[in-house]
């Protein structure tokens, strides 16, 4: 059996039976790469449109035939199996793809191996300027793999410091900073690694480098939580991010943290994207966490597929979110809790409240909704067309503070907050994965569950919320038996932005009344 190797992390290379095979035609290389990554038959029309988007069908098919001929000549072998309707790599080949090996190592916790495999960005230096669809596909794939590398490096740094291997942690943390020099979280990882290695001078130099990057690029200074790392423990007053722990459910590792002491326990289910460590970079978010943790023991976690939890390659469901909540509560030793569902996390919390009412003292829904898209009997959500437009906007602006003006209009122009959001997005997910999350939200409908919610429920919403209309919150409170609706002034969707006092006061009173 002939062995075909793809090296796609970096500028692409092809090897046949160990011998490097030059392939000068970029579209021939692009076709092989696309088929290898697909791992299944691809419609001929899809391949033709991908490579010759402006050509008519007959011309594109003719060009595809010529490309297949040139691949066969270059490799002196039948690499592509061709049927009347589809193309695929020949099933007789033994195919090895470094990007797939990297993902497999991430999936199975072989993080050191994964970090060693990812030596460069996906298809670095390779492009087809006249093929926008291919460029978009490559961009999605590149961002997904970079996100997984960031996740692997973050985990490695923490585990190696804990295992007494700080010098190895320094190597990985240095690489982490290189991936995102404007991420204070990455700089903190490196500062901690230097301190663990006993090299205070290097930690101080890293803080100086962090300050220089932030000043030159954003015109801001480091957050006090970064500076405080170099102070003596007895002089530290700023809240420190707790250790991230993991629990396994159905073979998926979920990242979670606990902050403060109970009772009650308070479980926060995030919206469409989260990262339990990056949230600590933003001073407003950190202050909100500190305030809630004074009400009770706060349990934070990343749902499957985002943040530091395992990527799963599947659209999230409300049932999966409910399973995640169970697993995290069990791992944290929480028998009963106050459950807070934020935005897109709300429907999964509703599912949990119906299935596990004995595990809850109450349910709080913040800026949330029962149905993702508009219908004649649910008029206060986006239409399918508006969802598609929003998704395209989000994906098109990936790498920057995508949709920041929707989620936090009061912070528009705050360069530090915008840089934090952009960095959190890149670390927590990828444009392709988020597109799947948006599609799942569009199709979500838990209205049939609302009448079955039997636990005390508080629905909180800002009057001018631009992401989820306040009428969606009113609907939830009206349909849940005994549901109470509290509307507060403001336009921000994020709970830690704007006036937090009414929200914190409502949560505190609700928790005191029901725990």
């Amino acid at each position: 059996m002939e062995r075909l190797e793809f090296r796609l992390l970096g500028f692409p290379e092809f090897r046949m039976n160990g011998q490097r095979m030059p392939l000068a035609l970029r579209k021939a290389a692009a076709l092989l790469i696309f088929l290898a990554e697909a791992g299944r038959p691809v419609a001929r029309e899809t391949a033709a449109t991908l490579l010759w988007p402006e050509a008519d069908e007959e011309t594109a098919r003719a060009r595809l035939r010529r490309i297949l001929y040139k691949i066969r000549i270059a490799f002196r072998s039948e690499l592509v199996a061709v049927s009347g309707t589809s193309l695929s790599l020949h099933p007789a080949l033994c195919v090895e793809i470094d990007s797939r090996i990297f993902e497999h190592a991430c999936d199975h916790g072989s993080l050191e191996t994964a970090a060693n495999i990812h030596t460069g960005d996906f298809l670095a230096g390779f492009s087809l300027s006249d093929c926008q669809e291919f460029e978009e596909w490559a961009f999605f794939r590149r961002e997904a793999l970079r996100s997984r590398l960031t996740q692997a490096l973050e985990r490695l740094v923490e585990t190696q410091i804990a295992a007494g291997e700080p010098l190895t942690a320094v190597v990985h943390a240095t690489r982490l900073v290189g991936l995102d020099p404007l991420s204070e979280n990455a700089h903190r990882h490196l500062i901690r690694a230097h301190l663990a290695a006993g090299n205070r001078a290097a930690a101080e130099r890293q803080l100086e480098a962090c300050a220089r990057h932030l000043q030159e690029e954003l015109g801001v200074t480091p957050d006090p939580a970064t500076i405080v790392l170099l102070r003596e423990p007895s002089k530290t007053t700023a809240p420190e991010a707790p250790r991230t722990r993991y629990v396994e459910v159905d073979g998926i590792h979920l990242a979670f943290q606990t902050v403060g002491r109970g009772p009650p326990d308070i479980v926060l289910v995030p919206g469409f994207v989260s990262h339990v460590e990056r949230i600590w970079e933003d001073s407003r978010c950190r202050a909100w966490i500190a305030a809630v943790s004074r009400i009770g023991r706060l349990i934070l976690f990343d749902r499957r597929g985002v943040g530091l939890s395992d990527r799963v390659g599947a659209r999230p469901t409300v049932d999966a979110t409910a399973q995640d909540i169970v697993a995290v509560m069990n791992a944290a030793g929480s028998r009963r809790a106050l459950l807070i569902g934020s935005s897109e996390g709300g429907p999964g919390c509703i599912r949990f409240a119906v299935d596990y009412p004995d595990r809850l003292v109450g349910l709080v829904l913040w800026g949330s909704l029962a149905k993702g898209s508009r219908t004649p009997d649910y008029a206060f959500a986006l239409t399918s067309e508006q969802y598609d437009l929003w998704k395209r906007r989000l994906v098109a602006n990936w790498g920057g503070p995508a949709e920041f003006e929707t989620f936090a209009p009061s912070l528009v122009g705050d360069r530090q907050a915008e840089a934090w959001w952009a960095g959190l997005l890149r670390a927590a997910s990828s444009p392709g994965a988020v597109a799947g999350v948006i599609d799942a939200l569009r199709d979500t409908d838990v209205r049939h569950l609302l009448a079955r919610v039997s636990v005390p429920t508080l629905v909180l919403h800002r009057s001018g919320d631009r992401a989820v209309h306040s009428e969606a919150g009113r609907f939830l409170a009206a349909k849940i038996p005994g549901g109470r609706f509290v509307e507060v002034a403001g336009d921000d969707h994020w709970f830690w932005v704007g006036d937090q006092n009414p929200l914190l006061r409502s949560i505190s009173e609700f928790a005191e009344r029901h725990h």
Side-chain angles (χ1 to χ4, degrees), residues 78 223 230 302 439 444:
E78 292 286 352
D223 191 274
L230 289 169
D302 292 329
D439 288 342
T444 293

Side-chain angles (χ1 to χ4, degrees), residues 187-211:
H187 287 281
R188 287 174 197 162
H189 276 300
L190 186 47
I191 290 169
R192 289 191 189 99
H194 281 311
L195 290 174
N199 194 342
R200 184 177 181 84
E204 290 173 347
R205 288 194 298 272
Q206 191 56 44
L207 177 59
E208 291 171 1
C210 173

Side-chain angles (χ1 to χ4, degrees), residues 260-318:
R261 297 180 178 178
D265 285 339
I266 303 171
V267 179
L268 175 63
V269 181
F272 80 100
V273 68
S274 67
H275 192 292
V276 291
E277 293 185 355
R278 296 272 177 143
I279 56 175
W280 290 88
E281 291 185 19
D282 181 78
S283 58
R284 300 171 188 84
C285 193
R286 194 167 59 250
W288 191 88
I289 291 171
V292 176
S293 67
R294 289 192 288 271
I295 299 172
R297 184 177 67 142
L298 180 60
I299 303 172
L300 307 164
F301 76 100
D302 292 329
R303 290 188 288 167
R304 63 182 73 189
V306 297
L308 287 175
S309 294
D310 285 348
R311 308 296 195 256
V312 293
R315 285 169 43 164
T317 65
V318 294

Side-chain angles (χ1 to χ4, degrees), residues 223-232 235-240:
D223 191 274
T226 303
I227 298 171
V228 82
L229 293 175
L230 289 169
R231 294 181 183 169
E232 295 297 327
K235 298 179 181 179
T236 297
T237 57
E240 262 288 336

Side-chain angles (χ1 to χ4, degrees), residues 111-116 149-150 152-160 165-179 186 189-190 193:
L111 303 181
E112 192 88 45
T113 299
N116 291 335
L149 175 62
T150 298
L153 292 173
E154 288 176 329
R155 286 193 188 179
L156 276 172
V157 172
E158 292 299 323
T159 56
Q160 286 163 347
E165 301 176 7
L167 294 179
T168 309
V170 167
V171 173
H172 291 305
T174 300
R175 193 174 174 193
L176 192 60
V177 170
L179 285 174
H189 276 300
L190 186 47

